[in-house]
Structures are given as structure tokens and as C-alpha cells.
Amino acid sequence: MLVLATTAISIALVTLSMVYYGSFCDQVLGDLSTTCRLLVEVYNAGNGEQDVSSAGESVKEMRVTLIESDGSVLFDSDVEAGGMENHLAREEIQKALADGEGSSIRHSDTLSRDTYYYAVLLDDGRVLRVSRDAISLWQFLLSAVPMVLALLVVLLFLSAILTRHLTNRLVRPIVMMGENIEKPGYKSPYPELVPFISTIRSQHQELKKTSELRQEFTANVSHELKTPLTSISGYAELMENGIIQADEVPYYARQIRDSATRLITLINDIIQLSKLDSPVLEVLFEQVNLYAVARKVVDSMQVNASAREVTLTLTGSEVTICANRGMIEELITNLCDNAIRYNYKGGAVRVSVVPLKGRAVLSVQDTGIGISQADQERVFERFYRVDKSRSKETGGTGLGLSIVKHIVAQHHADLKLESELGKGTNIRVIFRTES
């Protein structure tokens, strides 16, 4: 407010000064013109130079000069004429000789002020000039400085009081908003802040949800890690104390190995999820043949499928997508592993890759236990298992589909789930084929 007031005052001062100075110049030149013409009448009616000399001495605040046509000074009311320089080159003299009259304004080095001149050509060829000193524009501005400074001091004081009052008045509702923003019925004091409040509330809800998920994830990780570690520790203790018979050692050794394998798998999945959750994760994309990657995964998982007496097949055609090859391979692996793990003996898993209207559709369909409608909404959450007992039997970590969801999000693809309890599940991932 102070800067605005200072700027306004400065602009107004300069503008008004220029307007005033212009009017002042016109007024001074008008007075000189009137006086000069009166002296011309005196000169023409009387004794010439002598009458002008007498009249010039009586004119207050004005200087009267009589100049010969060659520029020499015949008379000056303020200075001895004999010591003055030739005036033929002066602007007002040149104009008077050419047009009959002339005027000019110039800075006088002698008097350090602006001097106004008005000259008239006499009938005998001489030039009569009248002049006077007046304040310059710069001096006028300087004379106004004390008044401006005093005004600025007053404005500073008033601005401080007014700004403090207005600031408190504006900020008070915002402070109250900060204290009540989480209350459902609270309304914004300013309509302009409604989008801001909505964003803050949304962020608060997201942070709260994220915090809850983090706590739940930590608890689940602790539980999932504790189970195999407890088993390994218990079996090892039995073997250490000699409680286990020699013929039972292979059985317990296999149990320890299975628990260790499950522990390693769980840790690897947690590490992978942490990488996918990282905000600084750099994903390198390239042109990937989706069918070729699916073929590689299906071939590598045939042993696993045969061990569980499940038929694993691949159909479709080659299609290229812009993706991260490693992530796509892990996505297909997790989908196939889940389809095999939660299937019946003699069941089937059909993987297909087909192009469809500028997109590539990856489908993994099984004839397994299926997912209920209630569970379908949560099946992609971390550590969520549809059948917990079966998951533990098959060694599932409950993180496979969560990893799938993250990889799909990284590729800006669409994830579709269709399932019927007891009949099987079909999960489709729809990729864009454009780079």
C-alpha cells in the first residue's frame, strides 16, 4: 500500500508539475508580451532610447534591453550595456528580426535560473526585449520534496495501521478454516478458497488412507515373516536337542527348506513392491513383443503346472507394445502362478495375446476356485487372500496381484477382472500399442 501510494503521489506530482509549469510559462510569456508592447508604444511616442530607459527602470522584476539591428546592446536595465556581448545570435532576436516578434526560454548561467525572453522589432529596425527570471521545473520539484516526504511519513503510518487491520480481517477466517477444515459441515469463508479446501481435504484423506495402509502393510509383513521364521526356529531346535529321530530328519529338513523358500519369496516380493512404490523409480521402456514374452513365461512355468496337474497353454498372435520387458515378464509370471496355484487338479490355464483396435489384450484365464463378488474388490490389496488356508498350503505370499496392479499402473494400462466362484477367473490387461 505504501509503494502504491508513493508511486501514485510521484506520478501525480510530476504530471501536475509539468501541467502547471506549462501554464506558468504561457502566463510569464503573456505578461512579457503585454509589457513589451507597452514599452514599444512609449518608445514610438517619445524620445526613443531615453524614454525606454526611464520606463525600464520603473518596471519591477523585468529586465528591459534595447538592441541595435546589428546585435549590439544600446541599453540594459540591469547591466552596463558597454560590457555586454553581441545579441544578434540570440533566438528571440533572430525571430523578432525575421517575424516582428519572438520569444525563448533558456537557463541563465549568470543567475542560475530559467529566464524568459520576449522581443519586438521597432519601427527603426532596433529590437526591444523584455525578460524576467522565474523558477525552473527542477527547482519547483525540489521545493515540493519536503511536502512529499511529510506526506509519505503520514501515509506510512496510516498504511501500517490499515494494512494490519485488513490483514487480520483477511487472515482470521483462513486461520479458523485451518482449525476446522476437517469438519464435514465446515464451509469456506471465501468462495475462492473452495477448490483449495477440497484439495486439502482430499490430500488429508489420501494421507490418512496411506498411513493406514502402511500400518496394515507393516503388520502384515511382520506376521508373514514371523510364521516361516518360527517354523524354521522350531524345527531347528527340535533337531538341535535330538528330539527328532534319524529317519525323521529328511522330513523336518524339507519343512525347513520350504519355510526358507517361502521366506525368500516373500522378501523378494516385498522388495519388488518397494521398488514399484518408489517415487523416484525410473522405468525404461522399449518396443516389446508381448506374445514372445508370454511364450517365454509359459514355457518356463510348464514344470510348475505339471507338478500341480494343471494344463498351461498359450494362444494368440504377435503384437508389439511400448513397455518394460522385465516388468511385463513378472506381470505374466504372477498371473500364471496365481492361476496355477488356485486351480483344481486336472484344471487348465489359458494365456492369450491378441491385438484389438490399436491395443494389445493379455488374458490369463483359469478353471480354478474363482473369486466371490465381495472379494473381487479387495483381491489386488497387499496380503489379501481369497482362501487363506489354500494360500498357505501352496506357498502364496498374497503380494502377486498387488505387484500386477502396480506394473499395470506403471504402463498406464487397463486391468479387468471377471470371476465366478467355483468356476474360474479371467484377468485381462489391456495395453496401448502406441509408443
Side-chain angles (χ1 to χ4, degrees):
M1 292 181 67
L2 180 62
V3 171
L4 182 62
T6 303
T7 304
I9 290 174
S10 301
I11 294 175
L13 177 63
V14 173
T15 303
L16 291 175
S17 297
M18 294 179 67
V19 173
Y20 170 78
Y21 187 71
S23 300
F24 176 74
C25 292
D26 293 339
Q27 183 179 352
V28 172
L29 290 175
D31 293 342
L32 291 176
S33 174
T34 301
T35 303
C36 190
R37 293 186 183 282
L38 289 175
L39 291 176
V40 168
E41 293 180 2
V42 172
Y43 179 88
N44 292 331
N47 298 322
E49 181 180 341
Q50 184 177 354
D51 289 340
V52 170
S53 176
S54 299
E57 293 176 356
S58 64
V59 178
K60 296 180 179 181
E61 298 181 358
M62 292 191 184
R63 180 180 175 184
V64 180
T65 307
L66 184 62
I67 304 164
E68 188 61 74
S69 59
D70 61 359
S72 59
V73 179
L74 300 176
F75 166 76
D76 191 275
S77 60
D78 289 353
V79 183
E80 182 65 36
M84 297 181 68
E85 62 182 9
N86 191 285
H87 280 36
L88 185 62
R90 302 292 173 89
E91 181 183 356
E92 69 278 3
I93 303 301
Q94 291 287 335
K95 290 180 180 179
L97 291 174
D99 303 327
E101 60 181 87
S103 62
S104 66
I105 303 172
R106 60 178 174 269
H107 186 73
S108 174
D109 294 330
T110 305
L111 302 175
S112 298
R113 300 186 73 185
D114 285 347
T115 304
Y116 296 76
Y117 296 94
Y118 193 87
V120 175
L121 181 63
L122 301 173
D123 294 341
D124 57 6
R126 294 176 176 177
V127 176
L128 182 64
R129 186 185 70 177
V130 180
S131 63
R132 66 168 293 180
D133 297 328
I135 188 171
S136 65
L137 177 60
W138 178 245
Q139 288 174 319
F140 176 80
L141 291 174
L142 287 179
S143 65
V145 168
M147 179 187 67
V148 173
L149 291 177
L151 185 58
L152 287 177
V153 171
V154 175
L155 284 174
L156 175 61
F157 179 72
L158 293 177
S159 296
I161 296 176
L162 186 58
T163 301
R164 185 178 181 85
H165 173 71
L166 290 177
T167 301
N168 290 337
R169 187 173 179 181
L170 288 170
V171 172
R172 192 180 299 113
I174 298 177
V175 173
M176 293 179 62
M177 178 190 73
E179 297 173 352
N180 300 279
I181 193 170
E182 294 186 2
K183 295 181 179 179
Y186 181 76
K187 294 183 179 180
S188 169
Y190 303 117
E192 296 82 0
L193 291 179
V194 171
F196 173 75
I197 292 177
S198 300
T199 301
I200 293 296
R201 285 177 175 171
S202 176
Q203 290 178 349
H204 280 185
Q205 292 175 357
E206 289 178 5
L207 288 173
K208 185 176 180 180
K209 184 178 180 180
T210 302
S211 178
E212 292 175 352
L213 289 175
R214 186 180 292 110
Q215 292 176 359
E216 182 181 355
F217 179 71
T218 302
N220 288 332
V221 167
S222 301
H223 175 74
E224 294 293 336
L225 290 175
K226 184 177 180 180
T227 301
L229 285 173
T230 301
S231 298
I232 293 173
S233 177
Y235 294 142
E237 184 177 356
L238 291 175
M239 295 175 69
E240 179 184 18
N241 295 330
I243 299 175
I244 299 176
Q245 300 299 322
D247 59 340
E248 295 178 331
V249 170
Y251 169 79
Y252 286 101
R254 185 169 60 253
Q255 295 299 318
I256 291 175
R257 187 192 64 184
D258 291 344
S259 295
T261 301
R262 183 166 180 269
L263 187 61
I264 292 171
T265 303
L266 179 62
I267 291 173
N268 288 335
D269 284 349
I270 293 173
I271 292 173
Q272 183 61 25
L273 267 179
S274 298
K275 290 180 180 179
L276 293 172
D277 277 339
S278 175
V280 294
L281 176 66
E282 293 186 4
V283 182
L284 299 178
F285 291 90
E286 59 180 316
Q287 294 299 313
V288 177
N289 187 327
L290 184 59
Y291 185 84
V293 175
R295 167 58 64 190
K296 178 182 177 182
V297 173
V298 168
D299 290 344
S300 67
M301 298 197 72
Q302 287 295 345
V303 174
N304 188 24
S306 297
R308 297 182 183 274
E309 300 181 21
V310 174
T311 304
L312 177 61
T313 58
L314 172 65
T315 59
S317 59
E318 294 188 352
V319 58
T320 302
I321 62 173
C322 183
N324 179 276
R325 184 180 298 273
M327 286 187 176
I328 296 301
E329 187 172 333
E330 184 168 5
L331 179 144
I332 300 174
T333 299
N334 282 330
L335 290 177
C336 290
D337 183 66
N338 264 26
I340 295 170
R341 192 184 302 275
Y342 297 99
N343 215 319
Y344 300 112
K345 288 185 178 181
V349 175
R350 289 182 288 274
V351 181
S352 68
V353 176
V354 294
L356 179 65
K357 298 180 180 179
R359 293 176 177 263
V361 181
L362 168 69
S363 174
V364 179
Q365 186 174 10
D366 64 66
T367 58
I369 63 175
I371 305 171
S372 67
Q373 193 66 35
D375 288 325
Q376 287 181 23
E377 297 179 0
R378 301 191 58 190
V379 74
F380 291 101
E381 295 179 8
R382 300 172 183 181
F383 295 110
Y384 188 81
R385 297 181 177 91
V386 175
D387 188 339
K388 295 183 179 180
S389 60
R390 186 181 181 93
S391 179
K392 290 182 179 180
E393 289 176 3
T394 58
T397 63
L399 295 175
L401 289 182
S402 182
I403 293 175
V404 167
K405 181 180 179 181
H406 278 71
I407 294 176
V408 168
Q410 288 285 349
H411 289 77
H412 304 288
D414 295 322
L415 184 62
K416 305 292 184 182
L417 170 65
E418 296 176 0
S419 184
E420 188 175 349
L421 199 60
K423 293 187 178 181
T425 301
N426 182 19
I427 296 180
R428 291 182 299 152
V429 183
I430 305 171
F431 297 94
R432 292 181 298 177
T433 56
E434 298 84 359
S435 59

